[in-house]
Amino acid sequence: MTTPDAAAPLEGAPLIRPSSTDHPLYDSVVDACRSVYDPEIPVNIFDLGLIYTIDISDQGEVGIVMTLTAPGCPVAGEMPGWVAEAVEPLPGVKQVDVDITWDPPWGMDMMSDEAKLELGFM
């Protein structure tokens, strides 16, 4: 008898975990993420769609799952630190963990309308 793979996504489960949008710190964390820019694209990483999940615990622990525009991004090793540095000083934030994922891969359809407009795609 075989057991199902615990890492396999559940059928019908979202590819991107939902964020803690109802947490009082959520808007502040989003604003902090909006202060971080991809050095090659003049749009902040939140509106680019690079922030997939912002998970905030009742204790003020912030977990951010993000991606990059491409695996070969020259700032791949630095950008998670930039995000953590932007979020950590916020009042009420006790700890920040930023993880990179490549699943699902980033696509231009993940950008906000503002980002598309800024980059001339609308």
Side-chain angles (χ1 to χ4, degrees), residues 53 55 61-65 80 83-84 87-88 93 95-99:
T53 303
D55 187 30
E61 300 160 332
V62 180
I64 297 174
V65 178
V83 173
V87 174
E88 282 174 344
V93 171
Q95 176 183 341
V96 180
D97 291 311
V98 181
D99 293 315

Side-chain angles (χ1 to χ4, degrees), residues 36-40 45 50 66-68 70-86 98-100 102:
V36 179
Y37 283 76
D38 182 315
E40 297 178 331
I45 63 168
L50 298 181
M66 66 174 293
T67 194
L68 301 171
C73 177
V75 294
E78 299 171 55
M79 192 154 323
W82 297 346
V83 173
E85 288 172 7
V98 181
D99 293 315
I100 296 279
W102 302 109

Side-chain angles (χ1 to χ4, degrees), residues 16-89:
I16 298 172
R17 250 185 26 247
S19 292
S20 304
T21 56
D22 57 346
H23 194 284
L25 287 174
Y26 179 78
D27 290 337
S28 298
V29 173
V30 167
D31 288 344
C33 290
R34 281 193 166 118
S35 74
V36 179
Y37 283 76
D38 182 315
E40 297 178 331
I41 305 171
V43 175
N44 71 73
I45 63 168
F46 189 85
D47 288 330
L48 273 176
L50 298 181
I51 302 295
Y52 284 175
T53 303
I54 298 172
D55 187 30
I56 308 168
S57 76
D58 291 340
Q59 294 76 34
E61 300 160 332
V62 180
I64 297 174
V65 178
M66 66 174 293
T67 194
L68 301 171
T69 54
C73 177
V75 294
E78 299 171 55
M79 192 154 323
W82 297 346
V83 173
E85 288 172 7
V87 174
E88 282 174 344

